[in-house]
Amino acid sequence: MTSFVKPENALKRAEELINVGQKQDALQALHDLITSTRYRAWQKPLERIMFKYVELCVDMRKGRFAKDGLIQYRIVCQQVNVTSLEEVIKHFLHLSTEKAEQARSQAQALEEALDVDDLEADKRPEDLMLSYVSGEKGKDRSDRELVTPWFKFLWETYRTVLEILRNNSKLEALYAMTAHRAFQFCKVYKRTTEFRRLCEIIRNHLANLNKYRDQRDRPDLSAPESLQLYLDTRIEQLKVATELKLWQEAFRSVEDIHGLMCMVKKTPKPSLMVVYYVKLTEIFWISDNNLYHAHAWLKLFSIQKSFNKNLSQKDLQLIASSVILAALAVSPYDSKHGASHLELEHEKERNLRMANLIGFSLDSKLESRDVLSRANLLSELVSKGVLSCTIQEVKDLYHLLEHEFFPLDLATKLQPLLNKISKLGGKLSSASSVPEVQLSQYVPALEKLATLRLLQQVSKVYQTMKIESLSQMIPYFDFSAVEKISVDAVKQNFVAMKVDHSRNIVLFGNLGIESDGLRDHLTVLAESLNKARAMIYPPVGKASKTSDILPDLADIVDKEHKRLLARKSIIEKRKEELERQLLEMEREEESKRLKLLKITEEAEQKRLAAEYEQRKNQRLRREIEERELEEAQALLQEAEKRVGKKKGSRKPVLDSEKLSKQTLMQLALTEQLRERQEMEKKLQKLAKTMDYLERAKREEAAPLIEAEFQQRLLEERMIHERNQQLEVELSKHRHEGDLKEKNRMARMLESKKSFQERVISLRQDEFSRRRAEREEHIRQIIQARKAEREAQRKKIFYVRREEERIRILCEEEEARKREGDAPARPDVAPSSRPLEPVTAAPAAAAAAAAAAATSPAKYVPKFRRSEASNPDAPPPESGRWGSSRPDNRPSRPDSWRNDDSRSGFGSSRPSWSSSRVRSSTDR
């Protein structure tokens, strides 16, 4: 097995082998690559490899290789790229079909080539001898040699593809397409045997699909698309089966379709049901089941009338006429009259089965012949209005056969109607799904029915009739056919008659005492006489003496009866116990036998496994020895060939049987080393010779090259001068044209300048106006922003002053409270200054309270201390951003610093606050 680093290398290797005519090796190389476990991930080159692989399989008709490769490729791309598998399979089918068609056309061409006037002159002696020996014609022989192998391969291709796609939900459409093409293959070439096998294959696929429901990629039949594909396949199978006249396969196809419909519990499309019932009517008509045939026509009529809105009145009349004629064609008597109970049960099961296929629901408790009967069918047709839709001839025919009583001229009245009906029918319009209706097929059955009706009506009027008169009354058949019909009717108790050929007459009526009607009459008469006698002579009651003799007889009988019942139950229990013991003994013996059998089987399996392992080891050892022997022989032969090539060298004496592989390898290596040394010496000598030869060639070629170079310089100088002269002339012409263009454009120079100046001046004025407007707008924005900053600064200053004033008032209030708690001093009077009302906003008060509750021991920088000396000074003018501080933070009031120093560094009070307090107390 050859291994490749990349799949493309295998494809290149296969193409090389194909080019040299080794298709088998190329196919084997691709097969090894595809079946290798190394390439289990899908790649795009694998698709090209599969295309080449199936081409080789088709060219060489290797169906087994194609199947193995497609199975492996399905495993590779099932979950990644199923479309690639679909393309490969389509290519495979196309190639197989194309090859089969080519073989068929080639056989036809060969047949036409053999179709000449003088066959004796063209035939060779061997052809004549082959034709006399085999007895085959030219076409048969060409078909067998050319067409048959390719048709076999095409059939194998269809089977392979169906087997690969049978359980793939992603390729259901391709499976259906392959099945349809296989059906068409069987239809075109009349392959009945292959068609039966194909139907069985598809049937087994569906059975396995229902049996193994836990498969991963199993198609879901409950999906509408899947169900439609499977139904289309079965309908196509039904069509081909009827066209090939395979009626048993057609009936099995009908059962398959019905099974699918029952499996999914969904009603298919009306178009499919029309095809289903059309084929069902054909099958029942071929099998002479006229009753089922008529019921199928009734279902077909109902579907056409309900769902086909484009159906014309003429087509509807033809379909309704077919329904009525099919119902009339049913035999008027029961063919199972006098049958046994077993036959009646079989007939009941058969009717139930057929009713399910047709679509009628029957009650299994009733007699099937009471439901599926001719009388019930005709009454149903009349009640549903089918008879009113038929043509007039069919209506007249129905009334004559079912309701009228014309024993003498029934045939003469029916003959023109039958002649008209036999001419009706044909292909229907494209709007109807029913392809064709032929009413002439019912004429023989209607003639037989007319004969039976005539015999029935004549038997009610006449007792004796001449055979000649009866033959004249029935013009459809001769008397022998009438006699056969009458025998069957008499057998089924439809009519009572006898034919007396000695007197040339026909006898009608109740013939003999064995008649059922007479036997019934005698039974009724006997029962009536017994009743009359009982009424005239009533029975006299006699006193029973048994009760007097045996007064306790009833009790004794009752006790004996109970004793016998008890004894019977005891005997039955003993029997059951004995049977149970026997059953247990048999079960124990069976378990012992199974255990012994299992032990024996395990021992046998171990022995077989040991023997298999021993044989495997012996085989491997033998293969290794054989391989070593082959390698040794190959080395020996190679050594002999090398020794034999040298002239005058002595051939070494080598004994291949005594020499081992290692010795031969050493000899081969020694010989190879010696040959390599000789080869190196030869190469050195050859290199030296080539060096001398190259130097001599260069010395001879140097003057020639120099002369060629000088000649080339001269030619290039001439070319340069000629090109330069052409360029000068071209420049002169171009300059003259430019001067003319300049003179022409100079006339409009003044106009251009004036227009330019006017445009520039207009644009300059517009620019000046817009710049002035922009500057004015910018100035207004700057003023507005300055006013806004000034207002903001004043607002901040006012808020700070308010906060400071509120803080000072709070401190004074606290100081007064503290002084009021101490002993009163005569020299200190309360402050006569009233507190100013607090008008600051709640937000400012909250901010002041938060500022007063600062943390202790906080550091105060120098610039803050300098500010504390002048607390009433207004704040400096803020810059662009509303504050003169670099960090854009408002400066703290001096009282905050005083609180910090008071809380962190002792109880010394600030000078300005104490002075304020003292001044207030002094006042």
Side-chain angles (χ1 to χ4, degrees), residues 193-238:
T193 305
E194 285 77 11
F195 179 76
R196 291 192 186 93
R197 293 174 183 169
L198 179 63
C199 295
E200 193 63 31
I201 288 170
I202 295 177
R203 198 171 292 115
N204 290 335
H205 288 174
L206 183 60
N208 292 331
L209 196 65
N210 295 324
K211 185 177 180 181
Y212 306 105
R213 295 178 178 272
D214 55 346
Q215 294 178 351
R216 182 173 58 181
D217 297 322
R218 174 184 174 273
D220 186 11
L221 291 180
S222 60
E225 297 81 5
S226 302
L227 177 63
Q228 188 64 32
L229 287 174
Y230 274 88
L231 282 177
D232 290 341
T233 304
R234 296 308 189 279
I235 291 294
E236 184 67 22
Q237 174 181 334
L238 179 59

Side-chain angles (χ1 to χ4, degrees), residues 738-789:
D738 292 342
L739 289 176
K740 291 180 181 180
E741 185 67 20
K742 179 182 178 182
N743 295 330
R744 188 177 68 83
M745 300 293 290
R747 292 178 298 175
M748 61 181 73
L749 183 61
E750 296 296 332
S751 301
K752 176 252 182 187
K753 288 182 178 179
S754 62
F755 177 75
Q756 183 178 0
E757 290 174 356
R758 186 168 64 254
V759 171
I760 290 174
S761 63
L762 290 175
R763 291 184 179 178
Q764 185 66 31
D765 296 341
E766 181 69 18
F767 173 74
S768 300
R769 183 181 61 80
R770 291 189 178 184
R771 185 173 60 182
E773 291 177 356
R774 182 175 178 276
E775 290 177 353
E776 179 65 21
H777 182 65
I778 291 173
R779 186 181 61 78
Q780 292 176 1
I781 292 174
I782 290 173
Q783 290 179 358
R785 290 181 179 177
K786 284 183 178 180
E788 184 180 357
R789 286 197 301 272

Side-chain angles (χ1 to χ4, degrees), residues 144-395:
R144 188 183 63 186
E145 295 175 356
L146 298 176
V147 182
T148 304
W150 282 111
F151 275 15
K152 286 182 179 179
F153 181 75
L154 181 58
W155 168 245
E156 188 177 358
T157 299
Y158 287 136
R159 292 191 59 178
T160 300
V161 173
L162 290 175
E163 184 67 25
I164 291 173
L165 302 177
R166 61 189 177 91
N167 288 332
N168 201 323
S169 60
K170 300 178 182 178
L171 296 177
E172 290 177 339
L174 184 58
Y175 178 85
M177 184 198 73
T178 307
H180 284 216
R181 293 179 66 174
F183 288 144
Q184 293 301 319
F185 167 78
C186 298
K187 172 185 171 182
V188 171
Y189 302 111
K190 303 293 188 272
R191 308 304 304 174
T192 57
T193 305
E194 285 77 11
F195 179 76
R196 291 192 186 93
R197 293 174 183 169
L198 179 63
C199 295
E200 193 63 31
I201 288 170
I202 295 177
R203 198 171 292 115
N204 290 335
H205 288 174
L206 183 60
N208 292 331
L209 196 65
N210 295 324
K211 185 177 180 181
Y212 306 105
R213 295 178 178 272
D214 55 346
Q215 294 178 351
R216 182 173 58 181
D217 297 322
R218 174 184 174 273
D220 186 11
L221 291 180
S222 60
E225 297 81 5
S226 302
L227 177 63
Q228 188 64 32
L229 287 174
Y230 274 88
L231 282 177
D232 290 341
T233 304
R234 296 308 189 279
I235 291 294
E236 184 67 22
Q237 174 181 334
L238 179 59
K239 290 180 181 178
V240 176
T242 53
E243 291 178 4
L244 292 177
K245 308 300 181 184
L246 299 176
W247 303 110
Q248 290 184 354
E249 284 299 329
F251 186 74
R252 296 182 70 183
S253 302
V254 167
E255 289 182 330
D256 294 341
I257 296 171
H258 183 261
L260 272 175
M261 291 188 292
C262 294
M263 188 186 306
V264 230
K265 308 279 186 184
K266 290 184 181 179
T267 305
K269 295 180 179 179
S271 58
L272 293 180
M273 296 306 297
V274 167
V275 178
Y276 173 78
Y277 283 115
V278 166
K279 299 304 177 182
L280 204 57
T281 55
E282 295 182 14
I283 295 171
F284 286 143
W285 182 255
I286 293 297
S287 61
D288 292 335
N289 290 320
N290 295 337
L291 182 59
Y292 305 141
H293 172 77
H295 278 283
W297 262 115
L298 177 58
K299 293 292 291 185
L300 183 60
F301 173 78
S302 302
I303 293 174
Q304 286 289 317
K305 188 176 180 181
S306 301
F307 295 99
N308 195 348
K309 304 302 181 183
N310 300 324
L311 191 65
S312 62
Q313 186 64 26
K314 183 180 178 181
D315 295 344
L316 185 63
Q317 286 182 351
L318 284 177
I319 296 175
S321 302
S322 299
V323 177
I324 296 296
L325 294 179
L328 290 175
V330 181
S331 178
Y333 49 81
D334 188 8
S335 60
K336 294 297 180 181
H337 178 75
S340 63
H341 178 72
L342 183 60
E343 292 178 353
L344 291 177
E345 287 296 325
H346 288 325
E347 182 68 17
K348 183 178 179 181
E349 293 177 0
R350 183 167 176 265
N351 287 338
L352 288 173
R353 181 181 174 190
M354 295 302 169
N356 290 329
L357 292 180
I358 299 171
F360 282 90
S361 58
L362 296 183
D363 189 1
S364 59
K365 296 181 180 180
L366 299 177
E367 291 292 334
S368 60
R369 56 178 144 181
D370 295 338
V371 181
L372 282 180
S373 62
R374 184 176 183 272
N376 291 339
L377 177 61
L378 289 174
S379 62
E380 185 178 0
L381 293 178
V382 174
S383 63
K384 288 185 176 181
V386 181
L387 184 62
S388 61
C389 298
T390 59
I391 58 178
Q392 188 61 37
E393 289 82 1
V394 175
K395 294 178 182 178

Side-chain angles (χ1 to χ4, degrees), residues 859-868 897:
Y859 173 73
V860 179
K862 281 185 178 182
F863 67 92
R864 293 294 185 189
R865 298 174 195 155
S866 62
E867 290 176 359
R897 294 195 299 272

